[in-house]
Amino acid sequence: MNATSNETTNFSNIIKKSVLENFASDISIAKILITLAMAFVIGLFIYLLYKRVFSGVLYSKSFNVSLIGMTMITAVVIIAINSNLVLSLGMVGALSIVRFRTPIKDPTDLIFLFWAAVAGIVTGAGFYTLAAIGSVVVGLILFFFIKKASVDTPYLLVIHCQDEQSEQAVRTCIAEAVKRYNLKQKTVTNGNIELTVEVRLKDAEGEFVNKLSGLPGVHNAVLISYSGDYVS
């Protein structure tokens, strides 16, 4: 009975010692600087990649800069959590009540936000190699797939024409000038037909819009780049 009790006590002491050894009351300045420098480099890498692969309508520099800040701030939080047991428990409780209500319109932005947070966590925990290699691999994958998808960027073509004859001429011109097209919306009023068409261009220019505008019965033609989401 005593042997079993001693073994249980020893095992409990080992667990307590192993847990407490992972926390320190003081943090070395060198570790803080190295961690922050590593978090900044990874955050800068995320910043440059997001700027390079962004394919939306309006680029937000403030959002992109926030990716660097999130990486570094998360790393600081993890350093604090990893250095003090009491502080870690209190900080976990405090962070659990934080709510972010900024809407994320593009799923790609959510990926970059999550990436910045995870990179900060891993860097703050001291796994610098994992953070660096993981960021490079994730960055290459995102760059390859996002840039490959952006080659075939969809556009919205909005045309106002006069009658059915001009509409047929417009459809014929579009069919000859683009890879493929899909009619999204058609609005007919007295003396005016409005067509909203999703098109995939053969080239990156879109000179055919000038030709469309010169067709008889066509009032105007507007080519708009968009993300692929359409609400009628």
Side-chain angles (χ1 to χ4, degrees):
M1 184 68 179
N2 292 334
T4 304
S5 178
N6 291 333
E7 291 177 359
T8 303
T9 302
N10 292 334
F11 182 76
S12 177
N13 292 335
I14 292 174
I15 295 297
K16 292 180 181 179
K17 184 178 180 181
S18 63
V19 171
L20 293 176
E21 283 179 350
N22 291 328
F23 296 91
S25 59
D26 192 15
I27 310 172
S28 65
I29 301 298
K31 181 181 179 181
I32 295 175
L33 295 178
I34 293 174
T35 301
L36 289 178
M38 191 68 185
F40 173 77
V41 171
I42 295 176
L44 182 62
F45 174 72
I46 298 174
Y47 169 88
L48 295 175
L49 182 65
Y50 180 83
K51 186 176 181 180
R52 183 71 177 83
V53 303
F54 178 79
S55 58
V57 178
L58 295 175
Y59 167 76
S60 175
K61 184 178 180 181
S62 60
F63 171 81
N64 200 4
V65 172
S66 68
L67 297 177
I68 301 178
M70 176 173 288
T71 306
M72 299 185 67
I73 292 172
T74 306
V76 172
V77 172
I78 296 302
I79 292 175
I81 290 176
N82 200 36
S83 62
N84 190 290
L85 178 59
V86 177
L87 178 62
S88 66
L89 296 176
M91 191 169 293
V92 168
L95 293 177
S96 64
I97 65 174
V98 177
R99 296 291 183 270
F100 298 97
R101 301 188 181 276
T102 303
I104 302 298
K105 297 180 180 180
D106 191 346
T108 306
D109 294 347
L110 185 60
I111 293 175
F112 278 91
L113 280 173
F114 186 69
W115 180 12
V118 171
I121 292 173
V122 176
T123 304
F127 300 105
Y128 306 129
T129 303
L130 175 60
I133 296 177
S135 295
V136 170
V137 173
V138 171
L140 290 176
I141 292 174
L142 290 178
F143 179 82
F144 174 77
F145 281 99
I146 294 177
K147 293 303 292 183
K148 183 179 180 181
S150 63
V151 173
D152 197 19
T153 303
Y155 289 84
L156 280 183
L157 180 63
V158 182
I159 305 169
H160 292 86
C161 53
Q162 185 174 354
D163 49 27
E164 292 184 2
Q165 293 181 350
S166 58
E167 179 186 349
Q168 289 298 326
V170 165
R171 287 176 178 266
T172 302
C173 183
I174 293 176
E176 295 175 352
V178 303
K179 293 181 181 179
R180 63 182 185 272
Y181 72 94
N182 180 28
L183 180 64
K184 289 288 187 179
Q185 180 174 310
K186 178 179 179 179
T187 304
V188 180
T189 58
N190 292 331
N192 182 68
I193 299 177
E194 179 182 329
L195 301 175
T196 303
V197 185
E198 179 184 323
V199 297
R200 307 281 176 153
L201 303 183
K202 291 181 180 180
D203 52 42
E205 300 299 329
E207 293 90 348
F208 75 98
V209 180
N210 300 331
K211 184 178 179 180
L212 281 174
S213 300
L215 292 176
V218 176
H219 302 307
N220 57 67
V222 180
L223 186 66
I224 306 170
S225 174
Y226 84 121
S227 62
D229 298 325
Y230 180 79
V231 179
S232 58

